[in-house]
Amino acid sequence: MAEVRYVLVDCYGKRRDHIEKIKSCVKNMSLGMRIPMVKFEPGDGKQFYLGLAVYLEDPSVTRPTPELERLFSCAGLKRPIEHPPNRNIFFHPNEISKGFLSGNVQWESFNESITFESLQEDLAGVEPQPNPLGETQGIGADAMNKLLWWGSAMGRGSYNLFRQACARINGNSDTPAWHLMRRLNLLGHLEFDNEDGPPHWGIVGTAFILSKAGDAFLIGRRTPGLINSLQQRIDLSTKPMNQSPDRIGARIADLHENMGFLADMGVALLEDTVQDWLDLLPEQAAFFSHFASDPDIQQHNYTFARWTNSGFIQESFDGRTRGLYEITSIGRGGPSRHVCFDGQRWVKGGFYDLKWLSRKVTVAEMQALHYPDGRLVVPMEERWPLLYERALVLCSGSPPSKLKSRDGEFLSYQAIPLKVASSLCEKLELQLKRWGTQ
Amino acid sequence: MAGYTDWNNAIIDYFTSGVAAGGSIYLSVNDDALEYIGNKHLSLGPDVARLDFIRSVQTECTRIENGRRKVFLKGVASVCEDGRPKGVAFLGVMVLAAHEMQYDPHHHIDGTNYFKRFNELLGLAAGPQSRPVGMSAGDEEPLWEAWNRWLESKGWRSTAQKGEGPHAYVNYPIEQALLRKDDEAHIEDMFRREFTSAGDRAKDESQLGMWLMRRQFSRLHLARGFAGHDPARTSAFIDSAFRVYQSVDWDQPSGTKRRSSSQKIVGGLIRSVTLQGKLAYRLLPRKPPNWKNTPLEVEGPDGIANLNDYKSGMFMPLWVMESPFPEMPLDYPVSGDPAIEQIGFPKRDFWILTQDADDPLGNYATWDKYPSLLGKKFILTVKGNDGSALAREVAKYKEEGLVGYEKAFQDPRGWVEFRGCMVLSRAWDCIVPPPEAEALYDALRPSVFASLVFKGGLKLPDSPTWIEGFPPELCIYGFEKNFHVKVTSHSGEGMDEFTLQEQATKPLVMCGEPGVYLIKAYWATTLVASKILKVIPWGEIEPSSTPTDTTYKLGGLAFQGPVVTREEHHG
């Protein structure tokens, strides 16, 4: 940066009058960049020194610049003090702070100050709050494609970053970002972690997954450029999905013939991933035993609203009634949160996981219906815990579709082999009914 | 031996390597750069590079007529198939000549002296005004313009400019040379005289930069370089000086041939906070400038670790530091590249940590070598408790309205964090800092009058690049009320002009289409800030290459998209 020097002037009169006059001239002559401030001796005496701070591009300059001459004239200032031997009018800041303007010195700035901005939401973000009352609504496939492309280019990020991107891509839609993230998570494109550091997400590596429908579908990081590159060698099918990124499919034989190409592109081919899920997912009791407890919830320090078919209903907690609750701290304030009382402890976790658990502990029988064409239909109210639902979605690469009948609303999953449905229902202790055998 | 085209490409690769889009490029060709380029990019043996470079340029860009060698630029006036300008190696020789000019105590830019040196390098016959035969005044300008255009098309900031008056064209190479050979010897002498302690000899770039900016140089070229009004140029000067500093062999007397540059990787800090509120500082190594990627390993407190790519200019964070304020500088040995010996962690009294829009997790770290704080929130960590000299100094700055901060947090481990800091005023001359606080004062004091900040839109990591249809909003932080803003396309076409109030935001809707845009802010006809904005189509975005490591864990299982595995347990 340019160096600052001081021009010292011996003044006579009222300090404030001089300072205001100089300030007015500096402003009118637009000299604020070059002449940022003035220092002056405090006091009531009529004679005083003032020092004009001047930024100099060339610190070897010793004489007034034309603009300084104009300022002196405008402000009615006397000739500046010169110091020998070369009649230099510019003083180093150290010289004036030890000499003419030492001790208690006042100053006036000729520039504006910046307004302090309070910290906005940390880029790292806060824990996302799901909206329990609705699934994704009004979000188009084009927006979901763009969200996945953008996420793929980012690789990973904070929840807040994702939320901001959703708002920009989604325009005025009121679909909460958490739902969009959950959709990408369900389809296997995105993983979310709120245990290791601030909550953050990552788009998984690009891979083709062999589906149970007889083809393979693309999962993970993708961009239009990557898809175009794949299409140079592999015949891809693109199927728009309801409120989801497109399902990009390929023939399994094509993939096997182009393994080297896929490896060069950094695209994996994963065969029979669903079997790993069947082998490793535990039974529901063991699954939920790993969910954290919240031992601090007491009847007297929270308000409670219990989930029913009509939504959350305010009611006191009697210490026994099992179910999903929305609780709000009475003393500490803060947002409401969701917990499930399973009869023994308060369980913390994802909203839909807790919703399923609450149903499990309150309803005698839960069931799913399997069709010969591979569809598995589950009542909307009994939507499975996310990880078990993901196992279903990985069979086809397609999200469930919603069905409505006189019996209620249902979710329908495609291409679910009977073996997969049986295994997962057994783990969740659900009754699996087979269409045509009821 | 390498051909002209090989040298042309290698020079372009060297000077653009590791520079984030928006960064300034100086074609500062000198012997150190040629040696590195020759060795790493062209596999030439030691002490061969310079001769080979000059020979290749001589072969391509000169001809012998009537027994005299003259300049012949026809073959390098165009661009290669990939769009790269062909004349960069020739321009490199021009800069090399400027680098080797002798110091002139009268500060003259002497075209005669310059061309004398240039002609000697290439064995050229002198024509009118000492210019080489075959190169009249301005003949070389199209090569500079092509280089500038190519840089800007890639999103970098060009710096080569024509001067004024009789030496207008000579200004191009002279200003690109940054530190000349003579200057390097001069500042090396300064370093040897003044840096006597271990701490002095283990500074990082910003510490050296602050030290240099406080010096009063009698050489006008250095005074203008280290204390000029262009922060990008000052940063480039400091970088050059840091190379000299790093290559000084302190155990040998002055005048000893310096070691090759890039000896040490500079270690900074990245700050992380767990959900449980536990605060940790990790070592964040910075990649050496213009360095060609080679696998590296470092020996740390927990054994050997790989130095992996992180974001442009940085390696992945390493181990947690016991304290950000060690009593002595720390060194960690590095292997894998003979030019790099160790990671050095400096002894400091304070750290300035900023957020980076390219860091999706919002960590505070030493992302910038020379952070420009105007318009940014940052964390200032100072050694000692809240009664220490530095902490009291910061409180004084707040009292005078020079800075603001949300909160001062005393860490029981022996430092104070001032969180949510912001520089608010330009009136820093109201305070004369005590000697122990000079470095802190210099680091906080704004060096610019205004700063342009892009907010929102859909930005891609590691470059000022946004996706079509989702450009950012513009905000200006500065020390006046209103600024005049001009938006032009890369080709110079005016897109829009408007007045923008300080700290107000304006959506850059005129920048929604793919292209490179130059945003300039003026105050009272003076250019006070500028920024490059690049917008690319969806079809050009690429998947991130950062590792896929986000994993959901539950009950001994690890889930990553379609994959579930048992968690590994390390015994």
Side-chain angles (χ1 to χ4, degrees):
Chain A
M1 66 191 145
E3 291 195 35
V4 73
R5 295 286 184 270
Y6 281 83
V7 174
L8 279 171
V9 182
D10 185 5
C11 296
Y12 188 86
K14 286 186 181 171
R15 281 160 179 72
R16 216 0 83 181
D17 290 347
H18 277 286
I19 301 304
E20 289 306 317
K21 181 76 178 157
I22 295 170
K23 190 170 183 177
S24 169
C25 290
V26 167
K27 291 277 182 198
N28 291 337
M29 295 167 67
S30 298
L31 290 176
M33 267 188 83
R34 286 260 186 260
I35 303 172
M37 65 185 300
V38 63
K39 287 186 179 180
F40 53 96
E41 295 177 298
D44 297 324
K46 288 244 165 89
Q47 191 164 8
F48 64 97
Y49 286 112
L50 64 79
L52 274 172
V54 181
Y55 276 109
L56 294 179
E57 292 295 333
D58 180 359
S60 65
V61 160
T62 60
R63 305 305 301 156
T65 56
E67 60 193 9
L68 265 179
E69 295 275 18
R70 286 198 300 276
L71 176 65
F72 290 155
S73 172
C74 171
L77 293 172
K78 287 198 246 178
R79 304 275 334 144
I81 293 169
E82 299 170 354
H83 59 112
N86 52 3
R87 300 173 58 211
N88 190 354
I89 67 162
F90 295 107
F91 288 79
H92 193 275
N94 287 344
E95 288 178 288
I96 66 152
S97 66
K98 288 173 185 161
F100 292 97
L101 293 171
S102 58
N104 186 17
V105 168
Q106 291 182 322
W107 54 275
E108 180 87 10
S109 171
F110 299 145
N111 296 140
E112 301 291 327
S113 285
I114 289 171
T115 306
F116 182 73
E117 292 172 349
S118 283
L119 264 176
Q120 292 172 353
E121 276 181 41
D122 207 315
L123 275 182
V126 297
E127 198 161 338
Q129 295 293 324
N131 174 2
L133 296 181
E135 250 295 310
T136 55
Q137 298 173 32
I139 165 87
D142 181 58
M144 286 301 282
N145 280 328
K146 284 183 172 150
L147 193 57
L148 181 55
W149 297 340
W150 167 82
S152 300
M154 295 302 296
R156 59 181 193 149
S158 66
Y159 173 70
N160 242 8
L161 196 68
F162 185 89
R163 190 164 56 81
Q164 288 163 14
C166 286
R168 284 159 201 156
I169 291 173
N170 222 3
N172 292 327
S173 167
D174 55 5
T175 305
W178 173 242
H179 282 280
L180 305 182
M181 181 175 282
R182 187 182 184 278
R183 179 59 69 121
L184 293 175
N185 184 238
L186 176 65
L187 289 164
H189 296 299
L190 173 152
E191 201 54 78
F192 184 81
D193 180 1
N194 64 354
E195 296 290 327
D196 185 17
H200 63 277
W201 53 270
I203 305 293
V204 304
T206 316
F208 277 103
I209 311 292
L210 266 55
S211 84
K212 300 299 182 186
D215 72 342
F217 57 92
L218 192 67
I219 220 162
R221 295 181 187 183
R222 70 169 74 157
T223 60
L226 176 79
I227 294 168
N228 282 341
S229 297
L230 286 172
Q231 261 172 331
Q232 302 301 312
R233 294 278 288 269
I234 295 167
D235 193 19
L236 299 177
S237 64
T238 301
K239 185 177 176 191
M241 294 274 115
N242 181 34
Q243 297 171 20
S244 301
D246 293 341
R247 183 187 186 278
I248 309 278
R251 288 193 297 269
I252 298 174
D254 279 353
L255 297 176
H256 282 143
E257 281 168 19
N258 288 282
M259 294 296 288
F261 169 70
L262 289 176
D264 290 342
M265 294 279 300
V267 177
L269 177 62
L270 303 178
E271 309 202 28
D272 212 6
T273 52
V274 176
Q275 187 58 49
D276 290 336
W277 289 71
L278 298 184
D279 291 340
L280 292 176
L281 278 176
E283 293 183 2
Q284 63 90 19
F287 177 73
F288 283 103
S289 72
H290 297 297
F291 280 49
S293 296
D294 192 333
D296 295 330
I297 299 173
Q298 306 291 338
Q299 286 144 290
H300 59 270
N301 54 9
Y302 283 90
T303 62
F304 297 84
R306 188 169 59 86
W307 177 259
T308 67
N309 288 343
S310 332
F312 283 104
I313 308 280
Q314 289 287 136
E315 65 180 42
S316 315
F317 177 61
D318 60 10
R320 294 189 311 272
T321 305
R322 294 181 282 186
L324 175 67
Y325 288 84
E326 185 174 87
I327 63 173
T328 311
S329 170
I330 293 171
R332 284 178 291 174
S336 302
R337 55 192 178 92
H338 302 113
V339 284
C340 177
F341 184 68
D342 66 357
Q344 293 178 323
R345 66 182 182 118
W346 289 101
V347 182
K348 297 195 290 189
F351 174 79
Y352 289 102
D353 294 346
L354 296 181
K355 190 157 168 269
W356 187 90
L357 176 63
S358 81
R359 190 142 175 102
K360 187 76 182 135
V361 298
T362 55
V363 168
E365 192 179 88
M366 295 165 73
Q367 52 190 257
L369 179 60
H370 188 262
Y371 288 78
D373 63 2
R375 281 178 297 146
L376 183 74
V377 176
V378 171
M380 181 77 86
E381 265 298 302
E382 295 174 13
R383 185 168 200 160
W384 289 9
L386 182 59
L387 288 171
Y388 294 82
E389 190 183 4
R390 195 188 300 175
L392 293 177
V393 170
L394 286 174
C395 289
S396 66
S398 301
S401 46
K402 281 186 199 169
L403 305 175
K404 272 186 183 173
S405 78
R406 60 169 182 269
D407 297 321
E409 287 188 321
F410 298 86
L411 294 168
S412 173
Y413 300 84
Q414 301 172 38
I416 311 297
L418 180 61
K419 177 186 128 178
V420 171
S422 296
S423 174
L424 291 173
C425 284
E426 195 179 317
K427 291 174 193 286
L428 293 176
E429 295 171 18
L430 310 177
Q431 188 185 24
L432 178 64
K433 291 186 174 172
R434 295 172 63 185
W435 175 260
T437 61
Q438 297 174 81
Chain B
M1 290 206 308
Y4 177 86
T5 302
D6 296 326
W7 272 105
N8 198 65
N9 283 333
I11 287 173
I12 292 174
D13 289 339
Y14 174 79
F15 283 103
T16 57
S17 160
V19 181
S24 300
I25 306 272
Y26 284 87
L27 194 64
S28 52
V29 173
N30 56 28
D31 281 338
D32 283 343
L34 290 175
E35 191 184 321
Y36 187 90
I37 294 169
N39 177 245
K40 293 290 182 187
H41 291 259
L42 299 172
S43 303
L44 296 175
D47 302 322
V48 166
R50 179 192 165 94
L51 284 174
D52 192 75
F53 168 61
I54 292 173
R55 178 203 54 75
S56 74
V57 174
Q58 206 177 44
T59 305
E60 185 70 22
C61 302
T62 71
R63 294 289 184 270
I64 296 191
E65 266 182 24
N66 302 323
R68 297 197 306 168
R69 189 178 288 280
K70 59 182 268 189
V71 172
F72 180 78
L73 294 180
K74 206 168 173 189
V76 298
S78 56
V79 299
C80 305
E81 272 181 22
D82 59 4
R84 289 179 162 205
K86 285 184 178 174
V88 179
F90 179 81
L91 298 178
V93 172
M94 295 198 74
V95 177
L96 184 64
H99 174 69
E100 294 177 355
M101 281 176 72
Q102 291 297 316
Y103 165 61
D104 178 351
H106 301 293
H107 320 309
H108 291 155
I109 292 181
D110 193 323
T112 304
N113 280 344
Y114 169 76
F115 281 114
K116 189 169 169 230
R117 189 70 200 110
F118 178 69
N119 294 341
E120 277 172 9
L121 272 180
L122 288 178
L124 294 164
Q129 296 169 332
S130 297
R131 275 191 160 260
V133 174
M135 194 167 97
S136 303
D139 281 355
E140 71 273 31
E141 189 170 41
L143 302 188
W144 287 109
E145 289 172 340
W147 170 235
N148 286 347
R149 269 197 310 272
W150 181 81
L151 287 175
E152 285 162 13
S153 73
K154 297 294 178 188
W156 287 303
R157 186 190 295 271
S158 64
T159 56
Q161 286 178 340
K162 188 174 162 180
E164 289 172 359
H167 307 295
Y169 299 108
V170 167
N171 194 69
Y172 275 114
I174 285 178
E175 293 296 298
Q176 291 294 292
L178 297 174
L179 289 183
R180 299 166 199 161
K181 199 176 241 180
D182 222 335
D183 296 327
E184 289 175 350
H186 178 72
I187 62 169
E188 183 186 337
D189 283 343
M190 273 173 59
F191 294 154
R192 286 185 178 280
R193 264 197 323 273
E194 312 243 2
F195 296 156
T196 51
S197 71
D200 284 339
R201 294 174 178 183
K203 290 181 187 290
D204 61 23
E205 300 104 327
S206 71
Q207 287 175 309
L208 186 72
M210 291 298 130
W211 185 88
L212 286 164
M213 286 164 71
R214 268 204 172 244
R215 301 272 78 74
Q216 293 187 50
F217 290 96
S218 54
R219 297 185 175 207
L220 184 60
H221 176 68
L222 295 180
R224 282 182 177 155
F226 290 118
H229 62 280
D230 181 354
R233 186 167 172 79
T234 302
S235 299
F237 261 78
I238 296 171
D239 281 346
S240 296
F242 190 69
R243 281 199 188 87
V244 173
Y245 170 81
Q246 283 218 324
S247 64
V248 172
D249 192 339
W250 302 101
D251 297 328
Q252 298 296 327
S254 180
T256 307
K257 184 178 184 330
R258 284 185 278 117
R259 303 177 297 189
S260 300
S261 56
S262 297
Q263 288 273 301
K264 242 186 223 189
I265 291 172
V266 173
L269 286 177
I270 183 166
R271 176 187 180 275
S272 60
V273 184
T274 65
L275 265 184
Q276 291 72 35
K278 194 170 170 218
L279 173 60
Y281 286 104
R282 290 181 174 272
L283 181 64
L284 181 66
R286 183 185 305 283
K287 285 185 189 169
N290 310 120
W291 172 70
K292 192 164 189 235
N293 268 6
T294 326
L296 295 177
E297 284 181 344
V298 60
E299 191 181 330
D302 300 325
I304 304 287
N306 292 324
L307 283 172
N308 296 319
D309 275 356
Y310 187 31
K311 14 191 329 299
S312 72
M314 313 299 264
F315 292 111
M316 288 284 282
L318 295 170
W319 47 84
V320 173
M321 301 295 289
E322 205 176 297
S323 166
F325 301 109
E327 290 304 318
M328 293 296 291
L330 302 174
D331 286 319
Y332 304 99
V334 169
S335 57
D337 185 339
I340 298 180
E341 291 181 351
Q342 54 206 350
I343 295 177
F345 188 77
K347 177 177 181 296
R348 295 183 69 106
D349 294 328
F350 67 91
W351 290 94
I352 295 175
L353 306 178
T354 54
Q355 286 182 311
D356 184 350
D358 292 329
D359 174 41
L361 299 184
N363 291 308
Y364 285 89
T366 50
W367 300 116
D368 300 309
K369 269 188 283 190
Y370 319 112
S372 172
L373 300 176
L374 198 57
K376 280 190 181 169
K377 301 286 281 187
F378 58 94
I379 290 178
L380 171 63
T381 306
V382 306
K383 187 178 175 181
N385 58 33
D386 53 14
S388 69
L390 282 188
R392 287 199 317 269
E393 193 74 4
V394 176
K396 196 187 342 171
Y397 298 159
K398 184 175 183 184
E399 222 174 278
E400 294 287 355
L402 303 177
V403 300
Y405 52 82
E406 305 270 355
K407 175 180 173 176
F409 172 73
Q410 168 78 65
D411 193 299
R413 290 171 285 184
W415 58 84
V416 181
E417 271 196 352
F418 294 92
R419 297 173 180 170
C421 289
M422 223 177 145
V423 170
L424 303 179
S425 170
R426 198 173 177 231
W428 285 71
D429 295 294
C430 69
I431 283 186
V432 178
E436 64 271 20
E438 277 179 358
L440 175 64
Y441 175 94
D442 289 340
L444 293 176
R445 181 181 177 181
S447 57
V448 295
F449 191 71
S451 171
L452 294 171
V453 174
F454 292 139
K455 297 184 176 185
L458 284 186
K459 183 183 178 302
L460 294 176
D462 290 344
S463 67
T465 304
W466 271 255
I467 305 177
E468 68 173 314
F470 300 93
E473 293 181 324
L474 178 69
C475 184
I476 185 164
Y477 291 86
F479 299 112
E480 276 301 327
K481 282 201 179 102
N482 294 301
F483 295 87
H484 186 69
V485 178
K486 287 185 186 174
V487 180
T488 56
S489 70
H490 160 239
S491 58
E493 178 197 344
M495 310 292 296
D496 202 357
E497 284 188 47
F498 47 88
T499 298
L500 188 60
Q501 216 173 35
E502 200 268 327
Q503 281 177 280
T505 55
K506 181 172 172 77
L508 292 175
V509 291
M510 73 293 293
C511 302
E513 296 295 313
V516 178
Y517 302 90
L518 185 56
I519 322 287
K520 288 184 176 177
Y522 296 83
W523 181 73
T525 73
T526 301
L527 176 66
V528 292
S530 66
K531 221 166 165 97
I532 289 179
L533 168 65
K534 193 174 172 189
V535 177
I536 63 170
W538 284 100
E540 277 184 27
I541 68 171
E542 291 181 3
S544 169
S545 58
T546 56
T548 315
D549 56 4
T550 309
T551 307
Y552 178 67
K553 294 176 187 170
L554 185 74
L557 299 177
F559 298 88
Q560 207 176 69
V563 175
V564 55
T565 52
R566 287 204 189 282
E567 271 190 272
E568 287 177 15
H569 293 282
H570 300 283

